Amino acid sequence: MRLAPLPVLAAHAAAWRDAPWPEGLERHARRALLDWFAATLPGTRQAPATLLAPALAAERGQGAALCYVDGQRGAPRHAALLNGVASHTVEFDDIHRDSGLHPGSPTVAAALALAQAHGAGMDALLRAMVAGYEVGGRVALAVQPSHYRMWHTTATIGTLAAAAAGAVLLGCNAARTGHAIALAATMTGGLQQAFRGSGMSKPMHAGRAAEAGLLAAQAAAAGVTGAPDVLEGPAGLAAATSESTGRWELALDGLGTRPIIAAMTFKNHGCCGHIFPALDGLLALRARHPFRPEEVARLHVAGYRATAEMCDRPQAEDAQQARFSLQYCAAALLHHGAVRLDAFAPARLRDPVLRAFMSKVSVSLAPELAEAYPRRRAARLRLELQDGTVLTHEQPTRKGDPEDPLTDAELDAKFDELAGPVLGAAGAAALRALIRSGTALPGALAPG
């Protein structure tokens, strides 16, 4: 008999509206909200959000939801779309490592806009986030890793996460929450090819997921119904986008005892997360055997499938491509000490020193590392110096993963670094304090 996951997930999500907070979980939710703002605020000053905001201004509608791209209030779906785009632009948004989903971008964008529109407080927002992360992370677990070969999980499953969060904020019972998730499942989309080259499609995936998720939640709250077997049916979401009708026993394992939002990866580098093991490995190698970048003759990185297929880019012509180029990110790290926002500034992208170093870097697939993906994200490095010295290192984890999480101080520093240039030091500190311990929602933010 086939497991029916939708009513289980829906009941679990709906219960978060008034369930007691487990010890420490509210802190994890606040950390996720802080990280969302850290990733989002720089994106409000960059394309495609800055292009879309004026283009869609006539569709803003009426409401109290705040679009952080242009500082204007309007309907929640409008704000969710643009804030979701901004949140996924500079590649600093959170990751659920075991499923590959970036839940924060669509979930928080949707939940915050709806909470603002309905005058909810911080507690309601955080509960909706937990519910969205639960649904998104667990459905993503059911369809991975095969789903990620063609589909962008944040675009597809992120829609369900946003719908669940929206349903909680709209007061939906378990049945209507299930309909919201089911409706969202048939609104999904987002192709891998969209970010294997140039273009601005990838950030739009997160924004569209947030907007479509809210549409699904609003429809369900109004009484619109969805297909109850749309997740696991023979022509359902899992069957259409993965190699099976879903690994639902795995997805539901730990439901109610191991919340997804308590096991997040917060990014420590401003690029594709599949490059992180190589960057962390380079830092470890250099700490153990100090060397200068000009001393490097060759660097080879063997990684899991996503690293080899998506991040082996010896040429990177723009910031989008560079954020997915292991060659470029390794060059930036070794020459400038970090891969942060300034690594993708136009002058850096044109730097002939970095370009020359990229030709020294090669990437391959390590089958044994591929087999351990996605729960283990490792890289194997072989670095040869000009004098013939060979340094090797296997990096088993990534800084920021649950095994090596960012401390509160490190997360605060990341927030200050990314939010400070947008809000100014005082504005960033005020927002950080509100998110860490406040009861009111973040509203309009004073620019720096």
Side-chain angles (χ1 to χ4, degrees):
M1 182 176 179
R2 192 168 61 222
L3 178 63
L6 184 58
V8 178
L9 288 169
H12 179 63
W16 273 105
R17 191 165 55 255
D18 53 16
W21 279 105
E23 179 67 29
L25 192 64
E26 183 181 350
R27 170 179 168 269
H28 285 292
R30 288 179 182 271
R31 278 168 56 91
L33 181 59
L34 187 74
D35 192 72
W36 183 84
F37 271 103
T40 300
L41 290 172
T44 65
R45 292 186 165 184
Q46 297 190 26
T50 53
L51 301 175
L52 288 168
L56 301 179
E59 302 175 20
R60 186 182 311 280
Q62 299 297 312
L66 185 62
C67 171
Y68 291 103
V69 181
D70 60 12
Q72 302 298 308
R73 293 190 183 271
R77 282 171 53 200
H78 179 87
L81 169 64
L82 292 172
N83 293 338
V85 170
S87 71
H88 201 52
T89 296
V90 300
E91 293 290 339
F92 260 115
D93 48 324
D94 64 12
I95 311 168
H96 180 227
R97 187 228 19 225
D98 292 356
S99 72
L101 174 68
H102 294 264
S105 285
T107 306
V108 181
L112 180 59
L114 196 58
Q116 289 171 338
H118 287 261
M122 179 68 78
D123 185 69
L125 171 63
L126 298 176
R127 290 175 178 278
M129 287 170 54
V130 173
Y133 276 59
E134 282 290 280
V135 170
R138 293 183 182 281
V139 174
L141 282 170
V143 298
Q144 294 290 44
S146 57
H147 182 87
Y148 196 61
R149 292 175 188 165
M150 297 290 180
W151 300 95
H152 182 203
T153 318
T154 303
T156 53
I157 313 306
T159 310
L160 281 67
V168 169
L169 282 163
L170 290 172
C172 291
N173 61 18
R176 290 197 173 187
T177 301
H179 288 305
I181 298 168
L183 292 167
T186 199
M187 297 180 185
T188 62
L191 301 172
Q192 280 268 336
Q193 198 62 45
F195 55 91
R196 292 199 177 193
S198 60
M200 301 179 187
S201 301
K202 189 171 185 281
M204 291 188 65
H205 287 177
R208 178 58 179 156
E211 179 194 28
L214 281 192
L215 173 60
Q218 291 169 328
V224 179
T225 60
D229 57 353
V230 72
L231 298 181
E232 82 287 0
L237 178 68
T241 66
S242 73
E243 293 178 344
S244 72
T245 55
R247 303 188 299 166
W248 297 106
E249 292 82 2
L250 171 66
L252 299 178
D253 183 42
L255 190 72
T257 60
R258 295 198 302 275
I260 299 293
I261 207 166
M264 296 308 302
T265 295
F266 296 122
K267 284 189 168 186
N268 196 41
H269 308 288
C271 59
C272 175
H274 301 308
I275 299 174
F276 287 15
L279 299 183
D280 291 341
L282 281 173
L283 291 173
L285 261 183
R286 192 166 62 179
R288 195 166 65 241
H289 303 283
F291 60 86
R292 299 187 305 276
E294 58 269 22
E295 295 179 293
V296 176
R298 279 175 289 277
L299 168 63
H300 182 73
V301 178
Y304 52 91
R305 187 173 302 279
T307 304
E309 292 183 353
M310 292 174 53
C311 303
D312 182 11
R313 303 192 188 195
Q315 301 296 323
E317 302 307 321
D318 57 25
Q320 169 69 12
Q321 293 180 45
R323 288 188 176 100
F324 283 79
S325 168
L326 194 153
Q327 285 88 346
Y328 180 83
C329 291
L333 179 79
L334 291 180
H335 285 84
H336 298 290
V339 180
R340 313 297 278 190
L341 292 182
D342 59 359
F344 306 100
R348 285 277 175 86
L349 293 172
R350 296 191 300 267
D351 187 345
V353 174
L354 299 187
R355 294 287 172 179
F357 190 92
M358 290 171 68
S359 65
K360 301 178 181 181
V361 184
S362 58
V363 184
S364 69
L365 175 70
E368 63 276 23
L369 299 185
E371 290 174 5
Y373 174 84
R375 296 205 171 196
R376 182 169 178 256
R377 303 195 181 201
R380 191 170 295 140
L381 282 66
R382 185 183 188 277
L383 188 146
E384 183 178 340
L385 300 179
Q386 298 284 0
D387 65 5
T389 301
V390 174
L391 307 175
T392 61
H393 176 75
E394 180 159 330
Q395 181 65 29
T397 60
R398 305 178 300 183
K399 175 67 176 175
D401 275 345
E403 295 82 3
D404 188 14
L406 297 187
T407 65
D408 282 351
E410 289 171 330
L411 186 59
D412 285 351
K414 172 186 173 180
F415 174 83
D416 291 344
E417 175 190 344
L418 298 176
V422 180
L423 301 180
L431 178 59
R432 174 161 43 81
L434 173 63
I435 294 171
R436 283 290 190 192
S437 58
T439 59
L441 288 183
L445 307 177

